[in-house]
């Protein structure tokens, strides 16, 4: 196993272009959910931890929030800075979930999109508790790909199981409810779920596939077999030259301090 496959910080370095082009965005219902359940306002200061190429950051910037995007991977962070150039409410930071570099009690919300499963849970919890204001909220968010709702998706999942490198080991669905209960304890959390989807021609589904760190990239063993299998799947199930990826966007939202707290108001910072 190479170094990149062992190190979560570097394993996406050669995936940035495909990540930017082909990863799904987050539905606007995420913002509505956090407004209704957690008291998010446009004045809330948000730390997007493991912000990657800025897909989730962009959603909060569009809501008017000041966002501190924290990303350890240089290539992904620079892609986000390019994508979001000119956003006055954006601060881009080279930090980690375990060591954000932010001042104590400086943010109202911590969010993490497609990232929490890479964190050291004990160290990141301690860091989150440090940087949150009293009554602050944590939202852990995933676009969770459907694996059995269509013949194409069934075949796509089988292809990943067969041809990928460490898909089972790094799959975020390995996280059980006990993990989230322990992470938020002694507080509580809720889960909200929304539909999301993408529609791809063959170039698009290839790019989407290669944006995943467990898929063999060009020049790596297994790459040609993966692409050949994907081509067969696409030709079998495409309709009008397109196939669809369907997602459940899951938002785990809660607080560390306990169940009695009310939603926070605007930050004074």
């Amino acid at each position: 196993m190479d170094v990149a496959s062992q190190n979560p910080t570097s394993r996406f370095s050669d995936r940035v272009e495909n990540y930017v082009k082909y990863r799904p965005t987050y539905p606007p219902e995420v913002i509505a959910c956090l407004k209704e359940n957690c008291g998010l306002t446009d004045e809330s200061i948000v730390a997007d931890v493991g912000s990657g190429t800025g897909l989730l950051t962009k959603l909060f910037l569009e809501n008017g929030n000041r966002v501190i995007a924290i990303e350890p991977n240089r290539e992904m962070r620079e892609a986000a800075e390019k994508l979001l150039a000119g956003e006055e409410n954006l601060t881009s930071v080279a930090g980690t979930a375990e060591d954000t570099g932010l001042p104590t009690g400086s943010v109202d919300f911590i969010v993490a999109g497609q990232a929490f499963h890479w964190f050291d849970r004990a160290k990141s919890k301690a860091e989150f508790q440090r940087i949150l204001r009293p009554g602050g909220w944590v939202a852990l968010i995933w676009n969770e790909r459907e694996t059995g709702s269509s013949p194409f998706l069934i075949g796509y999942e089988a292809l990943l199981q067969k041809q990928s490198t460490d898909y089972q080991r790094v799959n975020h669905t390995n996280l059980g409810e006990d993990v989230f209960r322990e992470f938020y304890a002694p507080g509580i959390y809720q889960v909200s779920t929304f539909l999301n989807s993408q529609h791809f021609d063959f170039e698009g589904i290839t790019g989407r596939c290669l944006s995943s760190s467990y898929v063999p990239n060009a020049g790596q063993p297994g790459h040609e077999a993966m692409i050949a299998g994907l081509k067969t799947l696409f030709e079998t199930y495409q309709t009008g030259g397109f196939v669809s990826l369907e997602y459940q966007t899951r938002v785990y939202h809660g607080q560390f301090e306990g169940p009695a707290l009310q939603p926070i108001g605007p930050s004074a910072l």
Side-chain angles (χ1 to χ4, degrees):
M1 187 177 294
D2 62 19
V3 173
S5 65
Q6 298 179 49
N7 184 357
T9 299
S10 60
R11 64 183 288 150
F12 286 96
S13 295
D14 60 351
R15 313 278 174 164
V16 172
E17 183 177 356
N18 283 325
Y19 209 105
V20 170
K21 289 182 178 179
Y22 301 117
R23 279 298 178 108
T25 57
Y26 296 91
E29 288 88 349
V30 170
I31 295 294
C33 167
L34 297 181
K35 286 181 177 180
E36 179 178 353
N37 294 289
C38 311
L40 177 74
T41 73
D42 59 1
E43 296 183 12
S44 302
I45 297 177
V46 178
D48 182 2
V49 180
S51 51
T53 61
L55 294 174
L56 187 58
T57 297
K58 185 173 186 289
L59 193 68
F60 285 91
L61 289 172
E62 290 172 347
N63 187 56
N65 296 107
R66 176 186 166 195
V67 183
I68 305 158
I70 300 162
E71 173 54 49
N73 182 284
R74 179 179 60 82
E75 291 84 359
M76 297 190 85
R77 188 174 63 253
E78 289 177 352
E81 291 167 353
K82 181 178 180 180
L83 174 69
L84 302 171
E87 290 283 356
E88 294 182 356
N89 282 338
L90 173 66
T91 302
S92 181
V93 173
T96 66
E98 300 80 17
D99 183 11
T100 63
L102 300 189
T104 298
S106 59
V107 300
D108 303 312
F109 280 78
I110 295 172
V111 300
Q114 308 294 130
F116 176 70
H117 52 293
W118 300 113
F119 300 168
D120 180 301
R121 292 195 289 271
K123 291 180 180 179
S124 62
K125 178 176 181 176
E127 178 70 349
F128 289 6
Q129 289 173 311
R130 184 185 70 80
I131 67 175
L132 274 175
R133 291 178 61 217
W137 291 79
V138 177
L140 309 174
I141 306 168
W142 284 272
N143 280 313
E144 187 171 302
R145 177 174 43 81
E146 294 278 8
T147 60
S149 57
S150 75
F152 174 76
L153 291 174
I154 293 170
Y156 187 72
E157 176 69 8
L159 181 66
L160 293 178
Q161 296 277 1
K162 180 180 179 181
Q163 299 291 354
S164 65
T165 54
D166 54 355
Y167 176 52
Q168 285 297 330
R169 184 175 68 85
V170 303
N171 193 340
H172 75 267
T173 59
N174 292 333
L175 301 180
E177 294 301 317
D178 58 322
V179 169
F180 298 106
R181 283 195 296 269
E182 180 180 1
F183 185 74
Y184 282 101
I188 60 174
Y189 71 93
Q190 294 179 305
V191 185
S192 300
T193 305
F194 310 101
L195 297 178
N196 202 2
S197 63
Q198 293 178 290
H199 309 284
F200 290 121
D201 58 13
F202 183 68
E203 179 183 354
I205 193 61
T206 300
R208 172 63 182 87
C209 182
L210 293 175
S211 74
S212 298
S213 65
Y214 46 75
V215 171
N217 223 340
Q220 296 176 342
H223 173 78
E224 292 184 6
M226 174 69 81
I227 300 304
L230 186 62
K231 181 70 170 177
T232 298
L233 267 179
F234 180 84
E235 291 176 348
T236 301
Y237 296 113
Q238 60 82 24
T239 300
F242 288 86
V243 292
S244 296
L245 291 186
E246 307 294 337
Y247 302 89
Q248 298 279 342
T249 300
R250 300 192 188 279
V251 183
Y252 295 76
H253 46 92
Q255 296 171 297
F256 292 130
E257 289 91 343
L261 293 174
Q262 298 298 314
I264 60 174
S267 172
L269 298 180

